[in-house]
RNA sequence: GCCCGGGUGGUGAAAUCGGUAAACACAGGGGACUUAAAAUCCCCCGGAGGCAACUCCCUGCGGGUUCAAGUCCCGCCCCGGGCACCA
């Protein structure tokens, strides 16, 4: 007994600040979270726990990052307590437009700013209690990392997956750079919201569509969040159909006669609906299509030229708007429908895109909404070739019908179903060389950026040899330190102004040449970082084979679904490419991926402009990192996101206080067994938490632990050590600092995360002596009876009928049917 | 337009192989302990009626299936996110 209770109380008060500092220092001193390369090599139960590394902004680590990382950290700590050797690295994704723009704004060089930001981020990452291995970290802007990013580029080049194309690209006039299609949102630049224009530039592309089939097919049996898989499938956009070739009709193209024998006189189209070929009443070429001049008649030439000029002026976004009226002009030329020999007019219109399929379509206004709209606008014939049930060949079309049905107005094919006709028509045309089956996917990955803040593309342009890769042993191509790195409107990267750097001898012929002045898309840096982590100890190679074979693929990856189609798709593609090069032994990088939801605040998105961003440091100062972590995980379903409400944090804070107080007040006998009723609750709790943590059901797992706490403390009873120890261990993934402290106070040496094991539940201890069964009469709840477990229907019914209220509702009625759900409910159906 | 999520008390949310709607927590109210505060402990807390026992109503809206529907089916409305003249 303490001589001075007041003093004693003071000493025992839960002080998050002191506890967290103590354990942060202790973990660091003992290297609890750091693995040496020898440990990496010898680990017996490797578990690679990955989370998306942050971009180290000047504003500091966002609470949304902490939300994401806490969920992942809980998983890592849980795995560790279950005997896994957990490798949990973190790094910094610091290249890219965001950093560069910020540096421009404050008038500094990002090379000087980034280290400060990283330092700041590191401090918060350590403070919130992440179990990070700081022995293995990456900074994508450090030459020790990006030399290998350049190496990845060269490897892909070696594999034939890199090619240079003159292509229309999205150009942001404000950022003065090319944007990937995914970086254009609703026609505006993702970053600065300027209207994006269209430009033609030579660019480096990664041929990701070569892997589209594999990227799509593998999804089927991957253990990933469903929403992420669906987003990827939609992005890949597999489209199966046929390529059909139409001859240009005789007499067309009088203005620019072509040699029909040369094979240039056929227009190829891609269609997913070859069954509607008889309904193709005209064709449309993209205005940029190379055959436009070949089909254009002399008297149509001025109109065609004018239209093409007008379209070229329009930006790619304006061009792609779906809600504007259809425009186009007739070329004066005709093509021949291979299925029936009909002469059909050839138009050009901007609703047909050069970048998809073949840049030309057969127009079937009867069964395609866009073609229908165009045909109406320009008075072109509309023919029905599919009849839905109850319709026939003559039924008028008020709008395009794209549904199922049988063929009409289609010669020999009349009466076939859509599915059968697709096959049959392609078969016939195939025999004549006019068609083949074809599958299309969406765009390749443009990796060129006309900017400063990125890894220079390791290519050298020589007038004699063309584009020549920098030899591997000459890497890195260092990014020169430029005083003025502002992008200009020349379409060239600011690196072109670094003359000494710019001029370099051709690796092939030795003559004077110059470097590629573009840097790579930031997504290339982040596309392979997880492959680098285990190998950061090696500066002589990118990916150490043994360590990589041991630790990869990644066991668990957790991150935001905003990266579903960018980062995650690129990472998969790069992994497949490196696998096929024989560099790594697996072709899918992440065994398991879970998307977490968005953390919002009081119903609204957090943003700097709204001024409603929560500072993690302020919360940690007030409540401690443990309470913050627990609260973030308690807010709502992790995969759905959460709504941060200021007052709600009180609940988790009280919970930790009660846990603290329970340990302080616990009965001192360490061998005293748990009270039976408490023990049952304990085993139920262990079971639930153990089942729910791997499924990221953190909020309900925490609720279960709170419930158990209510049992432990019911009516102010004195808790027993054996009732508390397992609780401290299962709370520990959420609140690691305070649980370490309590574990020590409960009398255990050696540290919780270093030596404790996750408790197991004993099924025999789950069984209640009695349980309550709900009693319904005609489906309405009328009472409750207490019976022994697994009681039979008859005895439960007998007990139920003794209940006064139940008896009252049964009075004067006959029980016709009894529905008994074991250990839950009985429903007496009476009339 | 298409594809995903989602809509439940004052609030954040639980419960979906159909089986007691609102667990857990916040806010609010009352009480215990305390000189006081903090922490802790107990009670109340969807709506209407009733002294009470209880009864009726309630999961965005309208239908349906079922002994039983937040959960399944049909038809809508609203919010959030993604994709988008992709042929």
């Amino acid at each position: 007994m303490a001589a001075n209770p007041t003093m004693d109380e003071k000493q025992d008060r839960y002080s998050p600040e002191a506890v967290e500092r103590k354990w942060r220092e202790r973990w660091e001193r003992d290297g609890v979270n750091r693995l040496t390369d020898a440990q990496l090599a010898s680990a017996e139960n490797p578990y690679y726990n990955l989370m998306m590394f942050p971009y180290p902004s000047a504003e500091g680590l966002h609470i949304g990052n902490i939300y994401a990382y806490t969920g992942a950290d809980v998983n890592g700590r849980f795995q560790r307590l279950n005997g896994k050797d957990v490798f949990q690295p973190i790094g910094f994704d610091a290249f890219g437009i965001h950093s560069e723009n910020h540096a421009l704004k404050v008038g500094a060089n990002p090379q000087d700013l980034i280290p400060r930001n990283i330092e700041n981020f590191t401090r918060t990452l350590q403070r919130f209690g992440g179990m990070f291995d700081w022995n293995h970290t990456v900074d994508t802007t450090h030459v020790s990392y990006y030399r290998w990013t350049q190496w990845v580029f060269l490897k892909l080049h070696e594999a034939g997956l890199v090619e240079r194309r003159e292509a229309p690209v999205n150009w942001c006039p404000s950022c003065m750079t090319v944007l990937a299609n995914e970086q254009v949102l609703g026609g505006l630049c993702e970053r600065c919201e300027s209207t994006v224009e269209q430009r033609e530039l030579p660019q480096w592309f990664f041929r990701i569509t070569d892997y589209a089939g594999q990227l799509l097919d593998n999804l089927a049996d991957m253990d990933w969040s469903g929403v992420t898989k669906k987003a990827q499938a939609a992005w890949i956009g597999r489209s199966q159909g046929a390529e059909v070739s139409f001859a240009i009709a005789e007499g067309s193209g009088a203005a620019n006669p072509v040699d029909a024998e040369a094979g240039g006189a056929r227009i190829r189209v891609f269609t997913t609906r070859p069954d509607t070929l008889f309904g193709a009443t005209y064709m449309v070429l993209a205005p940029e299509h190379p055959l436009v001049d070949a089909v254009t008649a002399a008297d149509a030439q001025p109109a065609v030229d004018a239209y093409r000029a007008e379209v070229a002026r329009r930006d790619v976004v304006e061009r792609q708007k779906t809600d504007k009226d259809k425009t186009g002009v007739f070329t004066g030329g005709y093509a021949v429908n291979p299925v029936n020999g009909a002469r059909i007019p050839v138009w050009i219109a901007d609703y047909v895109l050069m970048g998809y399929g073949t840049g030309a379509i057969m127009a079937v206004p009867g069964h395609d909404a866009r073609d229908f709209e165009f045909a109406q606008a320009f008075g072109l014939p509309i023919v029905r070739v599919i009849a839905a049930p109850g319709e026939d060949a003559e039924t008028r079309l008020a709008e395009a019908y794209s549904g199922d049905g049988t063929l009409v107005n289609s010669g020999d094919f009349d009466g076939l179903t859509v599915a059968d006709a697709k096959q049959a028509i392609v078969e016939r045309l195939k025999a004549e060389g006019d068609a083949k089956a074809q599958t299309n996917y969406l765009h390749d990955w443009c990796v060129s950026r006309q900017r400063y803040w990125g890894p220079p593309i390791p290519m050298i342009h020589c007038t004699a040899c063309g584009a020549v890769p920098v030899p591997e042993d000459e890497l890195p191509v260092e990014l020169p330190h430029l005083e003025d790195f502002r992008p200009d409107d020349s379409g060239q990267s600011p690196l072109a102004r670094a003359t000494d750097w710019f001029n370099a001898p051709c690796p092939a012929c030795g003559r004077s040449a110059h470097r590629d002045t573009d840097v790579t898309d930031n997504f290339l840096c982040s596309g392979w970082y997880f492959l680098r982590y285990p190998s950061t100890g090696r500066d002589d190679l990118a990916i150490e084979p043994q360590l990589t074979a041991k630790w990869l693929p990644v066991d668990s990856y957790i991150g935001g679904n905003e990266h579903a189609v960018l980062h995650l798709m690129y990472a998969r593609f790069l992994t497949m490419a490196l696998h096929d090069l024989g560099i790594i032994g697996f072709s899918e990088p992440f065994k398991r991926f879970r998307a977490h939801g968005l953390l919002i605040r009081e119903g609204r998105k957090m943003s700097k402009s709204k001024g409603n961003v929560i500072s993690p440091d302020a919360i940690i100062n007030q409540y401690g990192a443990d309470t913050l972590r627990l609260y973030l995980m308690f807010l709502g379903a992790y995969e759905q996101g959460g709504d941060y409400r200021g007052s709600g944090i009180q609940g988790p804070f009280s919970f930790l206080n009660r846990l603290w107080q329970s340990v302080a007040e616990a009965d001192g006998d360490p061998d005293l067994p748990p009270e039976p009723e408490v023990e049952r609750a304990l085993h139920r709790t262990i079971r639930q938490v153990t089942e729910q943590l791997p499924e990221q059901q953190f909020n309900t797992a925490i609720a279960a632990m709170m419930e158990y706490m209510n049992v432990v403390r019911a009516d102010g009873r004195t808790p027993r050590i054996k009732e508390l120890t397992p609780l401290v261990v299962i709370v520990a993934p959420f609140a690691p600092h305070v649980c370490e402290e309590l574990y020590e106070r409960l009398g255990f040496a050696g540290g919780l995360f270093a030596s404790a094991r996750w408790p197991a539940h004993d099924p025999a201890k789950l069984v209640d002596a009695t349980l309550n069964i709900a009693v319904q009469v005609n489906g309405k709840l009328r009472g409750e009876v207490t019976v022994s477990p697994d009681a039979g229907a008859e005895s439960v019914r007998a007990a139920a009928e003794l209940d006064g209220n139940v008896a009252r509702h049964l009075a004067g009625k006959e029980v016709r049917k009894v529905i008994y759900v074991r250990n839950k409910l009985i429903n007496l159906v009476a009339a």
Side-chain angles (χ1 to χ4, degrees), chain A residues 85 103 125 154 205 274 374 430 436 481 508 510 513 558 579:
Chain A
D85 299 309
L125 285 168
L154 293 178
F205 281 83
F374 190 85
K430 226 190 244 177
K436 59 173 187 178
H481 194 282
I558 289 180
H579 169 262

Side-chain angles (χ1 to χ4, degrees), chain A residues 10-78:
Chain A
K10 252 186 193 151
Q11 280 168 357
D12 273 355
R13 183 67 46 80
Y14 169 41
S15 161
E17 205 272 327
V19 169
E20 289 173 12
R21 188 172 358 92
K22 170 181 168 182
W23 287 97
R24 203 159 52 234
E25 287 168 8
R26 184 83 62 91
W27 291 331
E28 188 56 28
R29 186 195 74 195
D30 297 343
V32 170
N33 300 327
R34 291 175 187 254
L35 293 174
T36 63
D37 281 1
Q39 286 173 312
L40 271 190
S42 65
E44 283 176 12
N45 297 305
Y47 186 95
Y48 190 165
N49 189 44
L50 184 70
M51 57 202 87
M52 291 179 176
F53 64 164
Y55 150 69
S57 68
E59 291 89 49
L61 194 70
H62 192 271
I63 189 114
N65 290 124
I66 296 197
Y67 178 68
Y69 297 156
T70 299
D73 190 59
V74 166
N75 182 54
R77 291 180 180 276
F78 173 73

